[in-house]
């Protein structure tokens, strides 16, 4: 009896606290109610949606659309001046220069050979990094979703690299992989021949892929883990009662129900892979030679770091890269829409 | 109401005070190779004590920030009031003409006139600033390694081949990774190119195609990288024209001979200490001459400053004879100031190796080739240096043949010349 009375009293206190907290909210609502009614009356219900979207669209317009158009304008100009007004209009010359190639598969036959080398490197990087990143993130999420000892600790271990700045990531791995780095120190200690990993084009490329996966895998693992935990447990219980094999459970229950999360992860990983720059710039600087030079570094070098900068050529290259990203996003949108339609038909 | 008014008044006063403080601010963008940042801070503290109305703020940044970010700031009409940098000629249109602002323009002409063209637009008599240090490229040898290997240090007129042969013997005997190292820099590569007879300047004053002199050394250089005589690590460690120094390898006793320049002397004096004996060797000789490449860092005033008079005061102070003398003696830098050089310097170091090395560089500065003297004031130097580094490092990494590298260097430079004409 006393317990019921205590609980009732606590509930009342809670209610009264909630009501008190709602006072400023109610006041604020009262204040904006009249203008909102006026907006709805003037612009209609459709106008209300536009009204609420306006702040976001403004930010999007100023920070995304406007720079895109300015960049496009730059790509139509030549010279070394920075201000658009000081630059000479050259039409599509910068694009023509980028595409001036006898054989696109052999960068050495192109006028801008480093651009095509960077495109080729980025292509290989995207294929390898996206495949491995999805694979490792999925496997890690599946493991972390099981009943493990110190599960929270392991989740933290995989997530920690995400918190590091890309420059720190690059430096840490540089110290490990350089000629007198930790890895060679260890190898030498165990009687193996040291190797200059970052001077070997294949190993350097592998290092960029590996380091990038190490640094970002935790984030994608977390997204997949959230998807795994959203799958109803009773589906697994039913499958267990039917004696379904583990692989079949994975392909028929886990993977289809995880697909929305996986699609998001694939698109995020793809976009990030195409834009790869910071940690690689610190780790290899694009070397040895140009074997880890990616498109973003090419744009940076051409537009900002070269002795005579060429903002027009850099802008043209970044517009092309932007187009690739738009295509990738459209593919993702198409895939998720066709999935939604299929789901609706079922 | 009274409270609100008081707060507004306090805010307004605060705003005015902060604006007033900004009006007397002079920002210096500064990078350091050694201890010069600390010396400058000390000098500026003294200046501010005597000139309390001027507040000097020193932004200490890395060399790459000055090289890569300052040009962008300048193009946008922004940036610090004064900056210390090396590519003075290419950016000369952004420098403030101090001639009408400094106390005695004749003093500047007399003492810094020899390098004035390095930092002003062609054909002008502008006073843009002064060289905080004059540098000269040259070699350093790890004497301890040579002694331990029982290999004699090559003499005064030794050629690049002599040094390569001796360094190789030392490396084999002492089991070090590389016999020789040369900074990943077009400026550094240019010194041996010139000693092999190269001339980058065409008859029209624009860049000439790579000649046999340049090709002669570059082919030798790539051959040395391929056979392990020259450090590969530095040259293949980046793409593009990114600068990489080999100083750390020399400091850690990993190379027998290192080609860099006089600015490394204070760095070696501090970091090597008594770990091993080292000597400056001057520049090895090629078939044409034994030249090094002059250069250095200059302090220039920037024309977008809002406080030109204060900037001129700071520049006058830093360029004054006693301050240049003190700065050079404490930093172990070779000064550009004629009066200071004539009266002599007493470098503030107990390190006999550093003192001897500075002496070697002073002597070597008298043996420069004509083209070496011209290049620091030539508008296209940095363009040529950038193309050289980019393509030579690709050849070093085995991505292209030497002939491909040569034609790419010419094409890159031609494209830059065309771009700049638009």
């Amino acid at each position: 009896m006393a317990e019921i009375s205590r609980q009732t009293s606590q509930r009342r206190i809670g209610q009264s606290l909630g009501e008190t907290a709602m006072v400023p909210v109610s006041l604020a609502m009262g204040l904006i109610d009249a203008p909102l009614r006026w907006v709805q009356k003037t612009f209609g219900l459709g106008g209300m949606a536009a009204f609420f979207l306006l702040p976001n669209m403004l930010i999007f317009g100023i920070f995304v659309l406007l720079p895109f158009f300015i960049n496009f304008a730059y790509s139509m100009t030549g010279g070394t001046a920075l201000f658009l007004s000081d630059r000479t209009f050259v039409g599509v010359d910068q694009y023509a220069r980028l595409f001036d190639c006898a054989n696109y598969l052999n960068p050495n036959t192109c006028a801008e050979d480093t651009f095509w080398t960077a495109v080729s490197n980025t292509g290989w990087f995207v294929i390898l990094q996206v495949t491995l990143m999805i694979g490792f993130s999925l496997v890690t999420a599946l493991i972390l979703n099981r009943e493990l000892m110190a599960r929270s600790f392991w989740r933290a271990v995989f997530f920690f690299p995400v918190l590091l700045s890309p420059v720190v990531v690059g430096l840490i791995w540089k110290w490990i992989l350089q000629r007198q780095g930790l890895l060679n120190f260890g190898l030498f200690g165990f009687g193996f021949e040291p190797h200059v990993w970052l001077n070997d084009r294949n190993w350097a490329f592998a290092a960029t892929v590996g380091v990038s996966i190490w640094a970002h895998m935790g984030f994608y693992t977390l997204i997949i883990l959230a998807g795994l935990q959203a799958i109803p447990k009773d589906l697994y219980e039913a499958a267990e009662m039917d004696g379904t094999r583990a692989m079949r459970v994975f392909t028929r229950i886990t993977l289809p129900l995880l697909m929305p999360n996986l699609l998001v992860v694939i698109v995020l990983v793809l976009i990030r892979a195409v834009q790869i720059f910071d940690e690689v710039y610190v780790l290899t600087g694009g070397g040895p030679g140009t074997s880890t030079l990616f498109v973003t570094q090419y744009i940076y070098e051409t537009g900002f770091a070269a002795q005579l900068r060429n903002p027009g050529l850099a802008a043209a290259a970044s517009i092309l890269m932007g187009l690739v990203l738009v295509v990738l996003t459209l593919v993702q949108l198409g895939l998720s829409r066709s999935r939604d339609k299929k789901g609706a038909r079922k | 109401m009274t409270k609100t008014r008081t707060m507004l008044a306090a805010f307004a006063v605060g705003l005015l005070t902060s604006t007033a403080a900004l009006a007397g601010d002079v920002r210096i963008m500064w990078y350091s190779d050694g201890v010069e940042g600390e010396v400058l801070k000390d000098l500026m503290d003294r200046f501010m004590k005597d000139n309390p109305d001027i507040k000097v703020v020193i932004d200490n940044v890395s060399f790459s920030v000055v090289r890569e970010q300052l040009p962008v700031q300048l193009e946008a009409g922004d940036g610090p009031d004064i900056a210390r940098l090396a590519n003075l000629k290419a950016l000369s249109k952004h420098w403030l003409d101090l001639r009408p602002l400094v106390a005695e323009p004749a003093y500047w002409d007399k003492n810094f006139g020899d390098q004035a063209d390095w930092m002003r637009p062609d054909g002008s008599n502008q006073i843009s600033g002064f060289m905080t240090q004059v540098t000269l490229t040259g070699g350093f040898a790890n004497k301890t390694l040579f002694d331990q290997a029982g290999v004699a240090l090559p003499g005064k007129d030794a050629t690049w081949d002599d040094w390569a042969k001796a360094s190789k013997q030392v490396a084999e005997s002492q089991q070090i990774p590389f016999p020789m190292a040369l900074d990943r820099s077009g400026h550094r590569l240019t010194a041996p190119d010139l000693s092999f007879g190269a001339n980058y300047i065409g008859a029209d004053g624009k860049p000439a195609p790579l000649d046999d002199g340049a090709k002669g050394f570059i082919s030798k250089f790539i051959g040395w990288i391929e056979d392990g005589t020259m450090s590969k690590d530095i040259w293949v460690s980046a793409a593009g024209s990114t600068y990489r120094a080999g100083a750390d390898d020399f400091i850690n006793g990993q190379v027998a001979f290192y080609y860099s320049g006089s600015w490394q002397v204070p760095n070696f004096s501090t970091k090597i200490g008594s770990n091993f004996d080292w000597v400056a060797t001057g520049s090895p000789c090629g078939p044409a001459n034994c030249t090094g490449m002059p250069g250095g860092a200059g302090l220039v005033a920037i024309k977008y400053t809002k406080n030109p008079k204060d900037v001129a005061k700071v520049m006058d102070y830093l360029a004054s004879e006693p301050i240049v003398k003190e700065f050079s003696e404490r930093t172990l830098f070779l000064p550009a100031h004629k009066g200071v050089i004539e009266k002599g310097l007493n470098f503030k170091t107990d390190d006999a190796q550093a003192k001897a090395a500075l002496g070697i560089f002073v002597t070597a500065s008298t043996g420069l080739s004509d083209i070496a003297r011209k290049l620091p004031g030539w508008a296209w130097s940095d363009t040529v240096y950038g193309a050289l580094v980019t393509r030579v490092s690709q050849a070093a990494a085995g991505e292209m043949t030497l002939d491909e590298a040569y034609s790419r260097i010419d094409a890159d430079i031609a494209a830059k010349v065309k771009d700049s004409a638009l």
Side-chain angles (χ1 to χ4, degrees):
Chain A
M1 193 64 183
E3 179 61 18
I4 293 169
S5 155
R6 194 178 63 81
Q7 282 179 3
T8 315
S9 149
Q10 273 181 349
R11 208 173 299 136
R12 273 187 196 144
I13 292 168
Q15 274 172 354
S16 105
L17 274 175
E19 280 159 15
T20 315
M22 281 306 288
V23 171
V25 178
S26 309
L27 273 172
M29 291 301 287
L31 278 175
I32 59 166
D33 188 52
L36 286 181
R37 277 181 194 284
W38 178 82
V39 172
Q40 186 178 344
K41 204 172 164 184
T42 317
F43 300 107
L45 211 56
M48 282 292 279
F51 177 77
F52 283 118
L53 282 173
L54 192 65
N56 204 13
M57 293 310 287
L58 264 177
I59 292 170
F60 181 75
I62 293 169
F63 293 106
V64 178
L65 280 183
L66 186 64
F68 175 82
F69 288 120
I70 293 174
N71 202 28
F72 184 71
Y74 265 95
S75 73
M76 295 287 182
T77 60
T80 53
L82 190 71
F83 285 115
L84 201 50
S85 53
D86 301 334
R87 299 178 58 77
T88 316
F89 179 77
V90 294
V92 293
D93 279 7
Q94 305 286 16
Y95 294 94
R97 184 164 156 186
L98 287 176
F99 282 102
D100 180 7
C101 243
N103 174 6
Y104 290 109
L105 295 176
N106 180 5
N108 282 341
T109 63
C110 303
E112 278 301 312
D113 60 324
T114 40
F115 172 72
W116 287 100
T117 303
V119 168
S120 161
N121 289 344
T122 309
W124 281 112
F125 181 83
V126 167
I127 292 168
L128 284 170
Q129 199 249 20
V130 173
T131 315
L132 293 172
M133 180 79 90
I134 304 289
F136 281 126
S137 302
L138 183 61
V139 170
T140 313
L142 286 169
I143 293 169
L144 292 177
N145 196 38
R146 299 171 78 95
E147 291 300 327
L148 287 176
M149 240 177 72
R151 187 163 65 169
S152 301
F153 168 77
W154 291 114
R155 283 181 182 177
V157 164
F158 282 97
F159 192 72
F160 270 144
V162 178
L163 303 176
L164 296 176
S165 131
V167 175
V168 174
V169 169
L171 281 176
I172 289 173
W173 282 96
K174 195 171 186 173
W175 290 332
I176 292 172
L177 297 169
Q178 65 193 6
R179 181 181 288 277
Q180 282 155 330
L182 270 178
L183 183 58
N184 275 344
F185 181 73
L187 284 175
F188 189 72
F190 284 105
F192 293 100
E193 193 66 27
H195 186 75
V196 193
W197 308 96
L198 297 179
N199 274 6
D200 179 314
R201 50 190 299 116
N202 294 324
W203 278 112
F205 195 86
T208 60
V209 175
V211 168
S212 154
I213 291 173
W214 177 82
H216 304 290
M217 196 182 80
F219 177 65
Y220 304 113
T221 301
L222 210 66
I223 297 177
I224 298 173
L225 195 59
L228 284 172
Q229 288 177 348
I231 299 174
K233 293 272 184 294
D234 49 359
L235 291 175
Y236 290 111
E237 286 164 7
E240 197 181 346
M241 284 169 75
D242 291 344
T244 317
R245 280 180 292 118
M247 184 48 87
R248 199 170 166 78
V249 171
F250 177 71
T251 53
R252 293 302 170 98
I253 299 175
T254 308
L255 214 49
L257 291 174
L258 203 56
M259 208 39 97
N261 291 60
L262 277 180
L263 263 178
V264 170
V265 168
I266 289 169
V267 171
L268 289 178
V269 177
L270 257 177
I271 290 174
R272 204 184 154 85
V274 174
Q275 293 172 326
I276 184 76
F277 173 64
D278 27 27
E279 60 248 31
V280 174
Y281 187 68
V282 176
L283 181 67
T284 65
T290 52
S291 52
T292 59
L293 176 77
F294 298 115
V295 176
T296 317
Q297 189 181 335
Y298 169 83
I299 292 168
Y300 168 70
E301 300 261 350
T302 309
F304 300 100
Q307 289 301 329
L308 264 182
R309 295 173 303 282
N310 191 337
L313 195 65
S318 64
I319 290 284
L320 293 177
M321 190 172 114
L323 285 177
V324 170
L325 291 174
V326 167
V327 168
L328 289 175
T329 312
L330 288 177
V331 168
Q332 183 261 332
L333 270 176
L335 281 173
S336 58
R337 276 190 188 154
S338 73
R339 252 193 72 80
D340 289 348
K341 275 183 193 165
K342 270 185 200 168
R345 273 203 296 273
K346 278 179 188 172
Chain B
M1 192 66 184
T2 321
K3 208 174 172 184
T4 316
R5 273 188 192 162
T6 317
M7 280 171 71
L8 280 172
F11 179 67
V13 169
L15 204 66
L16 283 172
T17 329
S18 64
T19 318
L22 282 172
D25 274 5
V26 173
R27 295 198 85 90
I28 303 179
M29 185 185 267
W30 186 268
Y31 77 91
S32 295
D33 288 317
V35 296
E36 64 269 34
E38 292 154 40
V39 177
L40 178 80
K41 189 181 172 300
D42 184 29
L43 296 175
M44 283 295 101
D45 286 346
R46 275 153 45 189
F47 173 82
M48 283 190 284
K49 227 177 224 176
D50 298 338
N51 298 274
D53 54 325
I54 301 175
K55 186 184 168 202
V56 181
V57 181
I58 303 168
D59 295 324
N60 281 300
V61 296
S62 70
F63 180 67
S64 59
V65 168
V66 178
R67 195 170 166 271
E68 291 169 12
Q69 292 178 23
L70 180 66
V72 179
Q73 291 178 18
L74 295 174
E75 283 293 336
D78 206 352
D81 301 296
I82 296 172
R84 178 180 189 238
L85 68 160
N87 53 338
L88 295 154
K89 186 72 174 185
L91 299 168
S92 59
K93 66 176 179 181
H94 301 290
W95 309 150
L96 175 71
D97 185 3
L98 290 166
R99 190 169 286 281
L101 297 164
V102 291
E104 268 184 84
Y107 165 86
W108 284 72
D109 289 338
K110 184 185 157 204
N111 291 300
F112 299 109
D114 284 356
Q115 295 86 24
D117 264 344
W118 295 8
M119 59 184 88
R120 65 185 171 200
D122 283 341
S124 86
N125 74 337
Q126 181 171 314
I127 296 176
S128 308
F130 67 99
M131 301 299 288
T132 54
Q133 94 230 58
V134 171
T135 60
L136 185 66
T137 60
F140 298 92
N142 184 326
K143 190 172 176 297
T144 302
L145 284 176
F146 274 83
D147 290 346
Q148 284 171 355
V151 177
L153 281 168
K156 196 172 138 278
D157 295 322
T159 63
W160 278 95
D161 285 324
D162 295 335
W163 276 104
K165 192 178 161 197
S167 304
K168 223 172 167 180
Q169 287 171 356
V170 173
E172 276 161 15
S173 151
Q174 299 301 301
Q175 295 292 300
I176 53 172
F178 292 110
M180 300 165 92
L182 188 144
D183 290 337
R184 189 179 196 270
S185 148
H187 177 257
R188 242 64 88 230
L189 192 64
T190 292
D193 276 0
L194 299 189
S195 75
F196 273 63
N199 180 10
Y200 299 161
I201 308 175
D204 58 353
K206 298 233 168 90
L210 274 192
D211 56 21
D212 289 342
K215 288 178 185 174
F217 181 75
I218 292 170
S219 63
K220 196 175 271 292
F221 180 70
I222 296 295
W224 283 338
I225 285 183
E226 281 167 358
D227 72 14
T229 305
M230 186 66 76
S231 167
K232 187 181 178 182
D233 290 19
I234 299 162
W235 277 78
V236 302
S237 64
S241 57
T242 307
Y243 171 71
R244 292 274 196 270
D248 285 345
D249 288 339
F250 186 75
I251 290 166
N252 292 324
Q254 298 294 303
V255 288
F257 177 81
Y258 169 47
Y259 193 78
S260 185
S262 57
W263 59 94
Q264 298 288 4
V265 172
N267 191 28
F268 291 167
S269 175
T270 316
K271 291 184 181 161
I272 296 173
S274 57
N275 290 349
F276 59 82
D277 292 339
W278 56 276
V279 290
T281 65
S283 286
C285 300
N289 54 53
C290 313
T291 192
M293 262 299 291
L299 200 64
V300 285
I302 288 157
K303 71 177 178 190
Y304 313 113
T305 178
K306 290 186 175 63
N307 308 312
K309 283 185 182 164
D310 294 338
V311 165
K313 254 188 183 177
V314 174
M315 292 294 279
D316 257 337
Y317 170 77
L318 288 172
S320 63
E321 191 171 319
I323 296 299
V324 170
K325 186 173 188 305
E326 182 183 341
F327 180 83
S328 304
E329 286 176 345
R330 288 173 65 183
T331 55
L332 309 185
F333 286 155
L334 306 177
H337 192 292
K338 266 191 182 164
V340 172
I341 298 168
E342 278 164 15
K343 287 173 192 158
L345 288 139
N346 180 22
F347 288 110
K348 301 274 183 280
T349 176
D350 298 331
D351 187 345
Q353 297 185 122
K355 271 193 177 175
L358 289 167
I360 299 276
F361 279 107
V362 171
T363 311
S365 66
T366 57
L368 300 181
S369 73
D370 287 345
I371 185 78
R373 286 179 200 280
K374 273 187 201 164
L375 283 177
W378 186 49
W380 297 100
S381 297
D382 287 334
T383 304
V384 176
Y385 298 161
L388 278 174
V389 173
T390 305
R391 300 307 183 174
V392 169
S393 59
Q394 278 185 273
E399 286 182 0
M400 54 175 64
T401 64
L402 268 173
D403 285 338
E404 283 169 342
Y406 297 148
S407 53
R408 283 287 177 188
I409 289 168
D410 288 339
D412 288 353
I413 295 170
K416 297 277 184 195
V417 172
K418 195 180 158 201
D419 285 341
S420 69
L422 287 171

